[in-house]
């Protein structure tokens, strides 16, 4: 009996270990191992995100999405891995992260598809000029500041990869500063009750253009690092052609789907399958050309038929995407984040300088552009506050820079700090300059009102 209990105990304690045969004396995982880890990881992620998100709302008055971003960092090496490294590696072994990555891309892509469904195209048309000016300023100013600060950063050992030329380093820094946290911006806009407002649509549209431009610049930088000019041509040319096709013909081609749902009075399983098929194909196209799957999902959502079709589709898809899938995106990025790399006074000063420059370049430029486009001071400040949020889109692009050998771990950590600070400050700054007064005037709903995205 004792041997039986001992054997059972070993089996239980070894459930999270690899069960495949050794390959070149290395640990090998079989499909069952990935399954075991995946469900445990999901449970840990959901629990942590909900708890940290709740605490963030109650104690810091931050939206759920900011709490989820912080939860992702907590689950990574910056806290969980620092305090309990063995347990953290047991729950999130490196061998299983590719599976988590795929789930993360599905979650964020599907959420951006839902955001596209919510986008008010009438507001977009009426605010096209303002959105273009805000987007242009949100791209031009960061690259101008990057031109000014990159020569100094190149003199600090360990920030950039040895031998990188000034042009590539400047382009990369410009792309990092120009980024807006497109998925997080969308979530904040939904949670703040801005989804159907002209301010929310303007900010989201400008953020989408800024992020797309940053990804195109990244493609150019990667091309200079041996990937070839074809990478940049495919990314930029493919994105322009696909976007033009979808905006020019997509809505007309998809209109019959809306008529079918209106005629039947509900969305059938077959129609839901068709919508998911189109979402996956659009995400694939954008991912395959080197931009990002989220832009494909967002673009397909924009082109979907409005009316009962969108209402039914959101009702069926949104809760699962927000509660189960999207938190994987935050956690995957957090697993690659280390905040202990900025460990000297000099590096802290440099990190603070990058943060200040990033805020001036994004918040200041977008505010000025919004004012020049005719927005009142309060609205322009609100736009600047929202556009200044970097979030985990920043983490994605700097992870690519680290993996491709463009930047070193120290600059990576500085940019992570910049992303976290600008994201955390976005909501309280927005509420201070716009949200509170707008709610007092009845222009926005109350923050404690039920929200479909929570």
């Amino acid at each position: 009996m004792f041997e039986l209990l001992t054997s059972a105990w070993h089996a239980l304690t070894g459930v999270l270990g690899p069960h495949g045969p050794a390959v070149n004396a290395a640990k090998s995982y079989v499909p069952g191992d990935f399954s075991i880890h995946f469900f445990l990881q999901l449970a840990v992620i959901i629990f942590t995100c909900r708890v940290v998100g709740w605490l963030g709302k109650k104690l810091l008055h931050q939206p759920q999405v900011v709490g989820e971003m912080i939860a992702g960092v907590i689950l990574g090496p910056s806290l969980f891995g620092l305090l309990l490294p063995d347990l953290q590696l047991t729950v999130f072994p490196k061998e299983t992260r590719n599976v988590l990555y795929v789930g993360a891309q599905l979650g964020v892509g599907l959420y951006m598809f839902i955001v596209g469904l919510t986008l008010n195209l009438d507001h977009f048309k009426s605010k096209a000029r303002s959105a273009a000016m805000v987007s242009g300023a949100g791209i031009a100013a960061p690259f101008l500041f990057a031109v000014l600060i990159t020569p100094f950063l190149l003199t600090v050992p360990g920030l950039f990869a040895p031998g990188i030329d000034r042009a590539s380093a400047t382009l990369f820094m410009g792309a990092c500063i120009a980024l807006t946290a497109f998925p997080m911006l969308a979530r904040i806009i939904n949670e703040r009750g801005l989804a159907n407002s002209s301010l929310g649509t303007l900010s989201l549209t400008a953020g989408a253009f800024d992020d797309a431009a940053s990804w195109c610049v990244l493609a150019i930088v990667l091309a200079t690092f041996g990937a070839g000019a074809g990478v940049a041509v495919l990314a930029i040319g493919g994105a322009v052609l696909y976007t033009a096709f979808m905006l020019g013909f997509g809505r007309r081609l998809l209109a019959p789907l809306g008529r079918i749902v209106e005629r039947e009075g509900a969305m059938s399983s077959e129609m839901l399958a068709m919508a998911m098929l189109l979402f996956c194909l659009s995400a694939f196209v954008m991912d395959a050309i080197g931009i990002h799957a989220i832009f494909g999902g967002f673009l397909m959502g924009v082109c979907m038929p409005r009316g009962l079709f969108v209402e039914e589709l959101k009702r069926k898809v949104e809760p699962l995407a927000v509660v189960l899938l999207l938190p994987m995106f935050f956690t995957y990025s957090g697993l690659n984040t280390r905040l202990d790399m900025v460990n000297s006074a000099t590096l802290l000063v440099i990190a603070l300088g990058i943060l200040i420059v990033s805020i001036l370049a994004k918040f200041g430029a977008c505010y000025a552009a919004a004012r020049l486009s005719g927005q009142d001071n309060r609205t322009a400040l609100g736009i600047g506050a929202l556009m200044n949020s970097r979030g985990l889109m920043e983490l994605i692009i700097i992870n690519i820079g680290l993996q491709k050998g463009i930047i070193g771990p120290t600059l990576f950590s500085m940019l992570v700090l910049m992303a976290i600070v600008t994201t955390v400050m976005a909501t309280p700054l927005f509420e201070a300059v716009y949200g509170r007064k707008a709610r007092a005037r009845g222009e926005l709903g109350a923050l404690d009102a039920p929200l479909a995205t929570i």
Side-chain angles (χ1 to χ4, degrees):
M1 176 63 74
F2 178 75
E3 291 182 358
L4 183 61
L5 291 175
T6 301
S7 177
W9 174 252
H10 284 307
L12 178 62
T13 56
V15 71
L16 294 179
H19 297 89
V23 178
N24 296 328
K27 293 181 178 179
S28 178
Y29 282 75
V30 296
D33 296 325
F34 291 107
S35 174
I36 291 170
H37 281 88
F38 182 70
F39 288 114
L40 175 61
Q41 289 168 355
L42 270 183
V44 171
I45 290 168
I46 293 171
F47 175 79
T48 307
C49 284
R50 300 316 291 186
V51 170
V52 177
W54 181 83
L55 290 173
K57 285 194 290 185
K58 290 295 182 181
L59 302 179
L60 303 175
H61 305 291
Q62 292 282 349
Q64 174 74 23
V65 63
V66 176
E68 290 177 2
M69 184 190 78
I70 296 172
V73 176
I74 288 174
L75 289 173
S78 298
L79 186 61
F80 188 18
L82 186 65
L83 300 177
L84 300 167
D86 293 337
L87 181 58
Q88 199 266 351
L89 284 176
T90 299
V91 178
F92 296 102
K94 293 181 180 179
E95 293 83 355
T96 67
R97 292 186 187 177
N98 286 343
V99 178
L100 194 61
Y101 172 81
V102 175
Q105 298 311 300
L106 174 61
V108 72
L110 195 57
Y111 184 75
M112 292 314 301
F113 173 66
I114 295 168
V115 171
L117 296 175
T118 308
L119 188 69
N120 191 317
L121 296 178
D122 292 332
H123 283 158
F124 168 70
K125 292 175 183 177
S126 65
K127 298 292 183 179
R129 177 175 171 272
S130 297
M133 290 187 66
V134 171
S135 177
I139 295 170
F143 279 94
L144 175 61
F145 275 90
V147 169
L148 298 176
I149 67 172
T150 302
F152 167 73
L153 296 178
L154 285 170
T155 65
V156 181
L159 296 188
F160 284 98
I164 187 172
D165 62 272
R166 180 181 294 186
S168 296
T170 301
L171 286 174
F172 184 81
M173 280 301 298
C176 290
I177 298 174
L179 270 175
T180 292
F182 190 36
M184 190 161 289
L185 174 63
R187 189 86 182 268
I188 291 173
I189 284 173
N190 276 342
E191 292 188 6
R192 299 288 105 174
L194 296 166
N196 293 314
S197 70
S198 59
L199 183 149
T201 302
L202 191 156
S203 300
L204 195 61
T205 304
F209 283 129
D210 285 2
D211 278 11
S214 294
W215 282 103
C216 290
V217 170
L218 178 63
I220 295 173
V221 174
L222 292 177
T224 66
F225 271 72
V231 171
V233 172
L234 178 63
I236 299 172
V240 170
L241 290 175
Y242 183 66
T243 301
F245 172 79
M246 289 300 295
L247 295 180
F249 303 100
R251 297 191 73 191
R252 280 179 281 178
L253 293 175
L254 297 173
L257 301 180
R259 291 194 289 268
I260 293 173
V261 172
E262 294 284 350
R263 185 171 64 248
E264 296 179 352
M267 177 172 283
S268 64
S269 299
E270 289 76 13
M271 197 57 60
L272 176 62
M274 176 61 71
M276 292 297 95
L277 171 64
L278 292 170
F279 154 72
C280 290
L281 288 175
S282 186
F284 162 76
V285 169
M286 279 298 203
D287 222 4
I289 64 176
I291 300 298
H292 202 282
I294 65 168
F295 293 105
F298 175 73
L299 195 56
M300 182 57 67
V302 169
C303 295
M304 282 291 178
R306 272 21 187 190
L308 184 61
F309 184 95
V310 163
E311 295 173 10
E312 286 282 288
L313 189 55
K314 288 185 64 179
R315 184 178 64 84
K316 291 175 179 292
V317 174
E318 188 171 17
L320 185 68
V322 170
V323 175
L324 180 65
L325 298 177
L326 187 60
M328 283 191 282
F329 171 70
F330 298 107
T331 300
Y332 178 81
S333 294
L335 290 174
N336 293 312
T337 302
R338 294 194 59 175
L339 300 180
D340 58 348
M341 298 297 297
V342 184
N343 51 16
S344 72
T346 300
L347 294 179
L348 282 174
V349 170
I350 294 174
L352 181 61
I354 291 175
L355 173 63
I356 294 172
V357 165
S358 299
I359 294 172
L360 289 175
K362 198 70 178 179
F363 176 84
C366 291
Y367 163 76
R371 288 290 286 151
L372 290 173
S373 69
Q375 303 297 320
D376 61 80
N377 187 63
R378 188 166 59 91
T379 301
L381 287 170
I383 291 170
L386 292 174
M387 293 291 290
N388 188 51
S389 172
R390 297 322 191 286
L392 293 183
M393 285 300 290
E394 182 79 14
L395 297 185
I396 291 175
I397 199 169
I398 62 179
N399 268 288
I400 293 174
L402 184 65
Q403 294 164 5
K404 298 295 184 181
I406 300 172
I407 60 175
T410 305
L411 182 56
F412 174 84
S413 300
M414 292 177 180
L415 293 172
V416 168
L417 288 172
M418 182 266 284
I420 291 176
V421 172
T422 56
T423 303
V424 169
M425 69 182 289
T427 298
L429 182 59
F430 172 78
E431 288 297 322
V433 300
Y434 184 89
R436 292 195 192 104
K437 292 182 179 179
R439 282 176 231 289
R441 297 179 181 180
E443 299 171 12
L444 297 177
L447 288 178
D448 57 356
L451 292 170
T453 53
I454 295 180

